Amino acid sequence: MLGKTSRITVGLCLALAAHSLNAATNVVLARYTFDDSLIETGPDTFFVVEKARGRVALSNQFAYSGDRSVQLQDFANDHDFPELQGALPVQKSGKLHFHFAFMIADPSQALNIALAGPQHFGLRRDGISFWLLTENGHLAHISANTTQPLFTPQPFVWYVTDMIYDIPRGRYNLRITDGTKVLTDLKEVANAADIPGSAVSKYSFIGDLWEDVSNVNYFIDDVTLISSVSDTPPPFVAPGRRKLFIDRWQEQQRHLQRKPACLPVAAPEDFGLSLSWLKSNLSTDELRTFKQVLSGQQPPVTLPASVEAWRSGIGAWYQGCHALDDGQAQQAAAAFATARQQLPGGVLVDLAHIQTLAALRQWKDLDGELAKASGLWGEDVRYSVVVGQIGFLRGDLQVFDQWSGVDAETLPEADFIAWANAYFGAPLSTERLGVMLADPRQSPCLQRYVIAEQYFFSLLWRNLNDQALAYAQRLATHLAAVPKARALWLERSGDAAFLDGHRKAAANAYLAAVALVSYSPGALGKLSDLAHLSGDATQERNYREAVYGSLRQ
């Protein structure tokens, strides 16, 4: 822990760095000393991930300034990593100053610190722009897709980092000190992917990302992000939150009125690949190369034969995405057909194929493909986004009604309930859904359930919230004998009520959904919104932390 003189010196460095942004107005996007009495998690501040044995917690054992820092502790072979991830308004222009202090108990253990954009944590446009990591006992950063060593950190020494990122030019200055001397002072280095204009919307502190061999234990403090060109962030409507569910829904609604486009890759499993297999069968260098492939690059490095086929399929998927974005749906369909052959089980590939069918207005084929994909996405919002977009693209609601014909309510109750128990009763797979589609008793249930989902989302996206509410309530009643299905449609009825301004009805629906299942993050998050609107700060925090975790000593 530094003394007062060192802190004053660092404060002057921070002030000078902020001054060097050469902007008339600097906007503080985030500032955390972790000494406040309330440190709120949430979708627009930060969230905490403590899966497996990992730990993220406040600590008064060490602090760079004040009395507390945040401790992140990872454990090898626990198949996950701890994370503190923060959200920002999307930054597309100007300069961004990222300041933080960190201290590592054992620098030989791996950690990762990054700034990324709307395309998440991959080396691609609007993906990772700044990446700091430890590797083989050395601190390094990734610039222009290359790992570049910086220095060898010492145990239990606070290092202060100031990074100034020129977003349009894709260049940054990096300065790291130990409080007494400058250890790194880089100027005009390329961002991680060497892509100018790569936006920033989040920052992340984690342990080991891929290899799962790290036992890192490190501390962070004084996290600050300042923008020289930024719209003033929306006012905080509750601690730890800038936007309510209804704000996010309306933004999503505007987005879905655009033409179909591929959704971002979240994990190797999106392509039907196993992260554990990749970790077990690829070397560290091969893993790094394959991560570049996942982000859309094709580095000139040969991978094992079994992986090269996947690489080809991923490349075909990206080609299809570019064609779809350019309005060339036929070319996209051909590329996605190739990708599907080489990446069986790739849900993101199948979803892109479905989006292409929507762009081509091939509704009959699309309905069959949606039935095959139904339920494989769990609570992943990307599937709901595409289903809503498809409902919107079908056009006039009367045409939609004529297309939809008979919906799930009109099916024989015994057949439908038996099917729903099977559908919601066990994890779904492509094979199970294929069996359902081939069964003359189950196939009508599955296909009409998919129609019911499209119809509901179509009502919502047309702002016919009262009709959507009534429809979801009827489905929840019809599925009363299947708790998971009833909970899902109760939550959807709550969404419609919330969007229509009926807060009490929405809260009752969400509470009923939560009571039926062991964990419902969607309903809990919306209950947090409603608690804020009613002025109940305690309940707001309880519901929110049930989803995002909390920082406690």
Side-chain angles (χ1 to χ4, degrees), residues 39-360:
I39 300 176
E40 304 292 353
T41 57
D44 286 294
T45 53
F46 56 83
F47 67 84
V48 173
V49 177
E50 288 184 302
K51 295 181 179 178
R53 293 186 292 156
R55 172 179 169 81
V56 182
L58 292 171
S59 172
N60 56 15
Q61 183 180 11
F62 301 100
Y64 175 71
S65 68
D67 299 316
R68 296 191 298 191
S69 64
V70 169
Q71 178 186 16
L72 289 93
Q73 188 169 14
D74 200 357
F75 292 89
N77 302 314
D78 66 349
H79 307 295
D80 224 312
F81 54 81
E83 179 177 21
L84 181 72
Q85 184 183 127
L88 308 169
V90 178
Q91 303 296 300
K92 298 181 179 180
S93 61
K95 295 181 180 179
L96 184 66
H97 177 203
F98 186 25
H99 168 88
F100 59 93
F102 68 99
M103 181 177 71
I104 316 169
D106 180 0
S108 69
Q109 302 298 313
L111 63 83
N112 293 267
I113 300 168
L115 287 178
Q119 294 301 311
H120 311 294
F121 295 95
L123 291 173
R124 53 181 172 265
R125 176 173 294 281
D126 295 339
I128 296 178
S129 54
F130 173 66
W131 190 346
L132 195 68
L133 68 155
T134 52
E135 189 172 70
N136 300 321
H138 299 287
L139 187 70
H141 72 137
I142 293 181
S143 175
N145 298 288
T146 303
T147 302
Q148 301 180 7
L150 297 174
F151 61 87
T152 302
Q154 300 302 307
F156 295 103
V157 173
W158 280 106
Y159 295 102
V160 182
T161 303
D162 286 284
M163 191 277 287
I164 297 177
Y165 175 38
D166 188 324
I167 297 173
R169 297 177 57 243
R171 294 290 184 270
Y172 63 81
N173 298 345
L174 177 62
R175 181 183 177 92
I176 303 176
T177 78
D178 64 1
T180 59
K181 60 182 179 293
V182 176
L183 303 173
T184 295
D185 193 7
L186 303 179
K187 306 291 186 184
E188 294 288 308
V189 295
N191 64 16
D194 198 12
I195 300 177
S198 202
V200 175
S201 61
K202 58 180 71 75
Y203 56 93
S204 174
F205 299 85
I206 69 170
D208 182 10
L209 179 60
W210 286 82
E211 290 80 7
D212 198 20
V213 296
S214 178
N215 288 298
V216 72
N217 183 18
Y218 74 108
F219 301 81
I220 58 173
D221 204 352
D222 288 0
V223 177
T224 304
L225 289 105
I226 300 173
S227 174
S228 65
V229 178
S230 170
D231 294 329
T232 302
F236 274 61
V237 297
R241 184 192 294 109
R242 287 193 183 94
K243 296 174 184 173
L244 298 171
F245 158 71
I246 52 177
D247 300 319
R248 296 174 180 277
W249 184 273
Q250 289 163 357
E251 284 186 2
Q252 196 78 277
Q253 185 181 33
R254 289 192 294 270
H255 172 75
L256 291 175
Q257 293 178 16
R258 304 171 187 171
K259 61 185 179 182
C262 289
L263 298 175
V265 181
E269 284 76 8
D270 286 345
F271 291 123
L273 309 180
S274 165
L275 178 57
S276 60
W277 188 96
L278 292 169
K279 289 180 178 180
S280 300
N281 291 274
L282 298 184
S283 68
T284 300
D285 288 341
E286 288 170 340
L287 271 174
R288 185 175 292 113
T289 298
F290 194 70
K291 283 189 284 185
Q292 294 176 346
V293 172
L294 286 174
S295 67
Q297 302 175 58
Q298 289 294 336
V301 178
T302 301
L303 292 168
S306 58
V307 181
E308 280 294 331
W310 298 337
R311 174 179 182 161
S312 177
I314 293 169
W317 181 80
Y318 274 104
Q319 290 174 9
C321 292
H322 294 317
L324 189 61
D325 193 51
D326 291 338
Q328 304 296 324
Q330 292 288 358
Q331 289 90 325
F336 291 142
T338 300
R340 295 180 82 195
Q341 290 177 349
Q342 296 171 326
L343 296 166
V347 290
L348 200 59
V349 180
D350 292 338
L351 201 59
H353 171 64
I354 290 170
Q355 290 175 285
T356 304
L357 293 175
L360 293 169

